Amino acid sequence: HTPPAAAMAAQVDKAKFLELLGALGNPDNSTRQKAETWYQQAKQAEPDSLLIGLLAVLAATEAQESIRRHAGVLLRQLVTSGHEKDFV
């Protein structure tokens, strides 16, 4: 049984996703590579949590605009990955 979206959103650590998105845009290669690895692992292991986390960041008015935009781009890529041709 899958919990409702509101319950899942409450379980997601928005601060963790804000930190992840900040690290993905970090000019330091080591920091960025660790974040990229974490993101790729999350896409495979916890795609639902990743989706909800990106939505939470997108809705976070306190987050920097650049971070929210990055969340939007990743969210679009996540939901369209492999399905681009379904809408042609």
Side-chain angles (χ1 to χ4, degrees):
H1 174 258
T2 304
M8 284 184 70
Q11 295 171 6
V12 169
D13 184 355
K14 182 171 55 178
K16 180 172 89 172
F17 283 92
L18 287 168
E19 183 180 338
L20 167 68
L21 289 162
L24 285 171
N26 194 308
D28 177 65
N29 282 338
S30 175
T31 301
R32 190 175 60 253
Q33 287 173 346
K34 286 177 187 172
E36 289 169 354
T37 298
W38 184 91
Y39 179 76
Q40 292 301 325
Q41 289 172 344
K43 276 176 43 176
Q44 297 300 315
E46 304 177 66
D48 292 346
S49 294
L50 184 58
L51 179 77
I52 298 294
L54 291 173
L55 284 169
V57 170
L58 198 56
T61 56
E62 73 277 9
Q64 294 177 5
E65 184 178 342
S66 61
I67 298 277
R68 291 173 66 200
R69 274 192 200 157
H70 197 171
V73 169
L74 292 175
L75 183 61
R76 185 194 71 220
Q77 291 172 348
L78 189 63
V79 299
T80 60
S81 180
H83 303 288
E84 297 89 359
K85 295 182 179 167
D86 290 350
F87 301 104
V88 174

